[in-house]
Amino acid sequence: MDTADLGLPVDVPSTALFTDRYELTMLQAALRAGTADRRSVFEVFTRRLPEGRRYGVVAGTGRVLDAVENFRFDAGVLDFLAQQRIVDEPTLSWLADYRFRGDIWGYPEGEVYFPGSPIIRVEGTFAEAVLLETVILSILNHDSAVAAAASRMSTAAGDRPLIEMGARRTHELAAVAAARAAYVGGFTTTSDLAAGFRYNIPTVGTSAHAFTLLHDSERDAFTAQVQAHGSDTTLLVDTYDVAEAVRTAVEVAGKDLGAVRIDSGDLLLLAHRVRQQLDELGAKNTKIVVTSDLDEYAIASLAAAPVDAYGVGTQLVTGSGHPTSSMVYKLVARAVSDEADAPLLPVAKKSMGAKTSVGGRKWAARRMDEHGVAEAEVIGTGAVPEELADHQLLVELVRGGEIVAREPLDAARDRHIAARAGLPLSATQLSRGEPVLPTEYARG
């Protein structure tokens, strides 16, 4: 079953109002000036990575494709624009027939990126392409921030699985997107059922402290849970006294108890004590799951502890301190005239300070060393050097308005694992540092 085609409640009928008002006021002015149909190229990139991060992770591409496909100005949306007098009647008439009919290229989802990387390239008329700015940025900035945090956490966790548990710490729809991005970044499961339904991500979950507190004793709570879900369940053991709870858990579930979860206290110390206690009680195969405000640093600090899985919430869905990727959507080239075959002219904003950009329709490639390890992100305009032709990063996503690159979410997840493995080893260090690859510009 392709859940992306189900039209589930987590979707909206139209994405057309996921935009800023000035996109539409620019459209109206361009229509009046006769420049709306001028062929244009927009690119999404970031000028810098969040402080201390060594690489970024592209996430949300699949959601961008859905958003572009659903960018339609239906009757209700047009009525709102008319009532609010946001645009004039000719513009409303133009919007009523809006369909994106251009081309989109981009880094495939799960790929890593660096400052200046042309993560998405949108080509079409100015009118049709400019309207997509806000919705594309809102998706990529959020999802890529979560995926980058997830990638760092999965690196710290090694082979131990990670559970996404952040639904209660963010907006209900952002929680679904965050679970998806976390899966791309290396998490294995989610607690969010909407994410499981929408994206077929494996879901997990057993009980909270409220279930223990509901019953007259901890033993009663554990008995009820085991009777309902079997001995392979996970019992929460830190409601009262951890050692007593572990003892009771094994007595109730037997030596085949699936796992115990620790959600508070000194996790490093408790994990060692609980492991020793479980082994002494004969429950040597019972796993230990830890939760409680974890981030990549806390996960790394538990690397030597007898922990089998981690559950992460707040820090994951907020990008572990960096809730946005600071991506921008800039016009980098436009036709020199209104003629259909007019050549493209590179354009770029001239700015004081750090808000500079490089004009021109760009390609991107990753140069590898003799060992097959990436050594530079090379970005250029014009012809691609022969030695980089087989290492280009952008792939076709939309052709003539038609989506051509939908793929299973697992493909993006696998791609990220491979892309991260191709970076220098220092990419996985949690210590602060500069981007692990330099960005080089090749002029065409």
Side-chain angles (χ1 to χ4, degrees):
M1 179 179 63
D2 186 356
T3 54
D5 294 332
L6 292 179
L8 302 175
V10 292
D11 287 330
V12 293
S14 168
T15 53
L17 290 185
F18 289 166
T19 190
D20 289 306
R21 178 168 174 152
Y22 80 166
E23 315 289 6
L24 299 186
T25 55
M26 282 191 289
L27 169 64
Q28 178 176 312
L31 288 170
R32 286 195 179 189
T35 53
D37 290 334
R38 186 167 290 180
R39 191 159 56 100
S40 300
V41 180
F42 288 84
E43 288 176 353
V44 174
F45 62 93
T46 183
R47 296 182 176 96
R48 66 192 66 83
L49 298 180
E51 183 181 357
R53 295 289 171 89
R54 314 304 300 275
Y55 60 91
V57 181
V58 178
T61 309
R63 296 207 309 120
V64 166
L65 298 181
D66 291 340
V68 171
E69 191 171 58
N70 291 325
F71 207 90
R72 303 284 188 270
F73 292 84
D74 56 29
V77 170
L78 293 170
D79 286 346
F80 165 76
L81 297 177
Q83 291 168 7
Q84 297 296 315
R85 298 183 179 179
I86 292 172
V87 291
D88 60 16
E89 285 297 329
T91 305
L92 289 172
S93 179
W94 188 93
L95 290 172
D97 295 325
Y98 177 85
R99 298 290 186 275
F100 179 75
R101 296 181 174 87
D103 303 325
I104 300 178
W105 290 68
Y107 280 39
E109 189 158 18
E111 183 58 84
V112 296
Y113 70 87
F114 298 91
S117 297
I119 296 163
I120 291 283
R121 189 177 73 217
V122 180
E123 303 183 34
T125 67
F126 176 84
E128 64 182 345
V130 73
L131 296 183
L132 299 178
E133 174 182 1
T134 302
V135 69
I136 288 177
L137 288 179
S138 65
I139 292 171
L140 292 179
N141 269 316
H142 171 267
D143 290 22
S144 296
V146 174
S151 180
R152 287 163 60 85
M153 292 173 188
S154 66
T155 294
D159 294 331
R160 298 171 179 176
L162 289 157
I163 308 164
E164 185 280 314
M165 304 172 63
R168 290 166 293 173
R169 296 295 185 263
T170 188
H171 183 278
E172 65 271 20
L173 297 185
V176 181
R180 183 187 183 282
Y183 190 72
V184 171
F187 275 58
T188 54
T189 54
T190 178
S191 66
D192 190 277
L193 289 178
F197 185 39
R198 179 69 177 84
Y199 296 114
N200 205 29
I201 301 171
T203 61
V204 295
T206 50
S207 67
H209 293 102
F211 185 77
T212 301
L213 296 170
L214 167 68
H215 292 82
D216 295 334
S217 70
E218 200 165 42
R219 181 178 294 273
D220 288 346
F222 289 171
T223 300
Q225 185 173 327
V226 170
Q227 287 178 345
H229 301 293
S231 62
D232 194 40
T233 191
T234 299
L235 297 176
L236 181 59
V237 295
D238 72 323
T239 305
Y240 304 118
D241 179 86
V242 173
E244 182 61 30
V246 171
R247 185 177 302 108
T248 302
V250 175
E251 289 175 359
V252 170
K255 297 177 182 179
D256 293 328
L257 172 63
V260 296
R261 178 164 73 96
I262 308 170
D263 188 51
S264 60
D266 185 333
L267 297 179
L268 180 61
L269 176 63
L270 287 173
H272 281 286
R273 287 180 175 176
V274 168
R275 181 74 271 158
Q276 180 179 354
Q277 185 181 9
L278 287 169
D279 290 347
E280 290 173 350
L281 293 171
K284 295 185 178 181
N285 293 322
T286 299
K287 299 184 183 302
I288 297 174
V289 180
V290 296
T291 53
S292 184
D293 292 328
L294 298 178
D295 62 9
E296 60 266 47
Y297 301 103
I299 292 169
S301 73
L302 293 168
V307 171
D308 297 287
Y310 307 92
V312 189
T314 303
Q315 290 301 317
L316 174 64
V317 299
T318 57
S320 195
H322 298 288
T324 180
S325 304
S326 299
M327 294 179 187
V328 295
Y329 184 97
K330 297 297 182 183
L331 181 67
V332 297
R334 54 93 171 166
V336 298
S337 71
D338 297 333
E339 299 298 323
D341 58 351
L344 290 172
L345 173 72
V347 295
K349 171 185 177 182
K350 291 185 178 180
S351 175
M352 300 289 288
K355 284 193 172 184
T356 57
S357 57
V358 178
R361 180 182 184 274
K362 299 176 195 67
W363 51 263
R366 192 160 295 150
R367 191 172 67 241
M368 318 298 283
D369 67 14
E370 64 272 21
H371 304 291
V373 177
E375 63 177 12
E377 192 88 340
V378 185
I379 300 166
T381 58
V384 180
E386 184 177 347
E387 66 273 16
L388 295 176
D390 293 334
H391 300 285
Q392 294 187 73
L393 294 163
L394 277 76
V395 299
E396 191 176 26
L397 302 173
V398 177
R399 182 192 309 133
E402 297 296 324
I403 310 297
V404 296
R406 280 207 171 91
E407 62 181 4
L409 193 57
D410 280 327
R413 174 186 168 83
D414 293 343
R415 182 180 295 114
H416 175 62
I417 293 171
R420 189 175 62 191
L423 296 176
L425 285 176
S426 57
T428 61
Q429 294 177 342
L430 296 181
S431 56
R432 294 183 180 275
E434 296 300 313
V436 71
L437 296 186
T439 301
E440 300 178 359
Y441 287 94
R443 300 294 180 181

